[in-house]
Every structure is written in C-alpha cells, then in structure tokens.
Amino acid sequence: MNARVFRARRVITPHGEGAASVVVRAGRITEIVPFDAPVSAAEVVEISDDAVLLPGLVDSHVHVNEPGRTEWEGFASATRAAAAGGVTTLIDMPLNSIPATIDTAALRAKTEAAQGKCHIDVGFWGGAVGDNLSTLPALAEAGVFGFKAFLLPSGVDEFCHLNRDQLEATVRAVAAIDGLLIVHAEDPDVIDAAPAPHGPSYADFLASRPAEAEYRAIETLIELAEKYSARVHVLHLSAATALPLLAAARARGVRITAETCPHYLTLSAEEIPDGDTAFKCCPPIRDRDNQRRLWNGLRNNTIDAVVSDHSPSTVDLKRAGGGDFGTAWGGIAGLQVGLSAVWTAAPDWVALTDIVRWTATGPADLVGLNHKGRIAIGADADFCVFAPHETFVVDAAALRQRNPISAYDGRELRGVVRSTWLRGERITGDQPRGRLLQKGM
C-alpha cells in the first residue's frame, strides 16, 4: 500500500518533541521512525525547519447553529474556519440550531444538514432539557458524545435550563448509562441577586455575572457527581476561584473535569473598552489576576482542556443595542484563531507539548476519541503544520467563519497555521471530506 511520509525536525508525539518521519497509510499513522530513516513512499511531505508538526486539534465546544440559524454559522463555514486554525475534529453543541438536538429526530435533522458540507470530522452533543430524560438512552445509542445542560436560561427559547430537581434527575439518568453530562455552570440564584446587565459599561456587565455564580454551581455539580458516581464536565470555566473546589473533588475520586477557553486565557477585563460588545460572553472575561490563576490551573492539571466555545451570531445581533452589554448577543467567535491566541499569551513555562495536551489530546480523551488528537501509531493522520515564531494580524473580514466580527480583530498573534491535514490529505477548503462521527467510532 502506497505511503505518504511527513518528515519534520520538530514533531509533537505523546513522548515529547523530536525529529521524526511519520508514515501514513490509508489515512492512519502506521509508523513513526527516525527523521533520516529510509521509507518506501509515494510522496514525502517535507516540513520546513521553522515549523512544527502537531496533531490536528480537537475542539469539543463549537456552536455550528445549522439548521435553523445557519445565517449565524453553518457546517461549511465553521469547518473551513476550524481547518484554517489547525482543528481537524469538532463536536457540535445541541444549541443554537433549530431544532435543538434533544431527541433522535433532531439529531437526524442535524446530521442531514451536515452531510457533504464538512471539511473536518464532526460529532454531536445531545441536550438535556429536563423533560427529555426518557430520550437520553436513545440519543446515546445514536452516537452523541454526551449531554449538555444549562442551570440558567440558555439564551434561546428552544433549549430549556434545568432547575435543581431536574439537574439531579439528569445526573442520575446520565450516570445510569455511564454517559457524560457537560454543564454551563452558573448558579441562577446568584445571577438573579446580581445587578441586571445594562448599558455600555463592561464593569457593570462583569458585576452581573459574578465569579460566585460559577463557584456555587460547581459546588452543586461536585455534590451530585459524587452522590451518583457520575461523569460531569464543567464547560468554559472562567472563575479561577472554583479551581480549589475542583482539585479537592478530583483528589478524592469525584469524576469531574473542566475546560477553559482561549478568550479567558488571552483577553482581560482591564483591556475591554466600554461599549465593545464583541467581547461579551457568558461567563464573562475576568481580570488579569484571575487569568493568571487559570493558567496555573492548566499547569497543575486541574483544567483538562482548552476549547473555543465558538458561539457566533450575525453582526447585527452582536452589535444589538449599540454597545449595550445587556442587549447584545453573548458569545466569542474564535474557532480559527484559538491556537495562535493561546500560544501568544502563554507564560514562559508553556511548551508546545502542553498546548497539544490541552487543545488536542485532552478534548479527544474527554469525548473518547482515542484515535484523534495525537501523533501515535494507529491514530488518524490528522496534522497541523504550525510556525510558532511567525506572526500575523487578525482581520475579522478575512476569517473563514460566516460573520466578520471577532474579539481578536486587529490583534497581532504569534504562531501561524500553514496547513492542516485530515487522514493524511491536505484540507484545501474546496472539497469537503470530513466524516460525521459517532461515539465509539
């Protein structure tokens, strides 16, 4: 069988960084041999000495929004943007599409909408909305990677949040099928007691989503995960005050994991101009000291993954209210630039091996895709060729996402994705070759 060989002076594998030749046959990695080892191959892809061969990133937190809100984002545009940012696998959230992915009929509508449009591999989360507990086993059987829940209003009417009793029932039901529950963790009582967001002041918006809301919600999730021996994952952690809670729970064997996002690691409240709602997201971007502690949470393995929470909308919705943080859509569209943003902001102790663990291997392991997110024999030959010292300036209008608005617009970032490869074939953005994934594939 004809082979394609990727030869690089710098390759990131589970064993670290080194020079190697990576042999690919039929879309899988079959050998990893010394750089100069003779290999019979139909083609040799030489990676320049100023670039690094990384595994393709796995982004387990993406809102594609198709069908139903395809004007916000769609499978074609989202997967092109992902590939341009080195991402080769994404898992699509069960909202903000219409219908929401809360039963098998909605999952079929989602997969039919995605068919033939994806430039990278795509899987799906299901939704847990309180009155669909009986459908969760069927959704799991149909191949969703787990179930998402909100503890407060989601922002769209078709995806309901869970009250305390519904949350407990959901944790119990997901544990019964050994599934994974992923949770937007902000406590509704704390949010309700905070001042309502309004006007252009970012400080006022930040006060409307206090860190205490995340802390209290995570306390509740830990209690329930421990009670039912359930697998629970905290989405988009922004409040570093919750890190000791998570660390202590994990130390005593609670099955709880957590992720954070590039915008929490790279942007800070101090630099956000009043009225610039491109920066609005929930939970919010907090201050620099909080950011420093999030990096430490990654360093000590309390945080398992860094994923985009790509939550796009139309420009009109993102700018609604003319700079009013209470009115504008909340979400950061960062799918294409996340790798570069994190690498730019990384403290001195961070190496590319760390970046790969957080953005590729960690998310892949979270969802059980053991053949993704690593350069290892038997894994899919998904690669990102990354030039870590090259810089570029983000131009929102040039991004591959559907709508030209970005919190990173005009920023100079370090690290350029030169090419992205799916199962050993370069992604050009012309011919969609991505597969639709199911849990267990």
Side-chain angles (χ1 to χ4, degrees), residues 68-260:
R69 291 188 175 95
T70 310
E71 70 275 14
W72 294 16
E73 190 71 278
F75 285 102
S77 54
T79 57
R80 281 194 186 96
V87 177
T88 52
T89 303
L90 69 79
I91 313 296
D92 175 55
M93 283 291 164
L95 72 162
N96 302 302
S97 56
I98 302 173
T101 316
I102 57 175
D103 54 36
T104 54
L107 179 62
R108 282 194 300 273
K110 176 79 78 168
T111 56
E112 288 169 5
Q115 198 69 46
K117 298 178 183 176
C118 298
H119 296 270
I120 66 170
D121 288 354
V122 174
F124 303 95
W125 295 107
V129 293
D131 62 358
N132 73 328
L133 287 183
S134 63
T135 72
L136 300 187
L139 273 170
E141 183 69 21
V144 299
F145 286 86
F147 305 96
K148 180 175 185 177
F150 276 79
L151 306 186
L152 72 177
S154 70
V156 292
D157 293 339
E158 65 277 358
F159 199 95
C160 300
H161 67 285
L162 306 180
N163 62 32
R164 179 59 170 75
D165 290 342
Q166 290 171 325
L167 174 63
E168 181 160 3
T170 300
V171 172
R172 184 169 61 244
V174 172
I177 58 174
D178 196 27
L180 173 63
L181 183 66
I182 63 173
V183 184
H184 181 124
E186 290 181 285
D187 184 276
D189 293 335
V190 175
I191 297 293
D192 287 346
H198 67 281
S201 166
Y202 187 76
D204 287 350
F205 172 65
L206 192 56
S208 76
R209 314 292 293 214
E212 179 73 6
E214 292 187 75
Y215 187 96
R216 294 302 174 196
I218 290 169
E219 272 191 326
T220 299
L221 293 176
I222 290 169
E223 175 192 335
L224 293 175
E226 193 161 23
K227 181 176 181 179
Y228 294 105
S229 297
R231 290 181 63 213
V232 176
H233 179 71
V234 177
L235 296 169
H236 45 48
L237 178 70
S238 84
T241 52
L243 290 171
L245 276 180
L246 289 164
R250 290 167 64 140
R252 63 178 186 269
V254 180
R255 301 170 74 193
I256 191 161
T257 51
E259 67 185 41
T260 193

Side-chain angles (χ1 to χ4, degrees), residues 381-400:
D382 299 345
F383 304 129
C384 165
V385 178
F386 186 64
H389 302 297
E390 193 173 339
T391 63
F392 70 104
V393 175
V394 178
D395 176 2
L399 296 175
R400 301 294 184 90

Side-chain angles (χ1 to χ4, degrees), residues 305-366:
V306 179
V307 291
S308 69
D309 187 14
H310 180 69
S311 185
S313 73
T314 62
V315 174
D316 286 348
L317 282 173
K318 196 65 180 152
R319 297 296 191 193
D324 186 331
F325 278 96
T327 304
W329 175 258
I332 301 292
L335 183 57
Q336 184 172 333
V337 299
L339 172 60
S340 301
V342 172
W343 182 238
T344 300
D348 291 343
W349 55 265
V350 174
L352 282 172
T353 50
D354 299 309
I355 300 289
V356 165
R357 186 171 75 255
W358 302 327
T359 63
T361 316
D365 289 349
L366 172 72

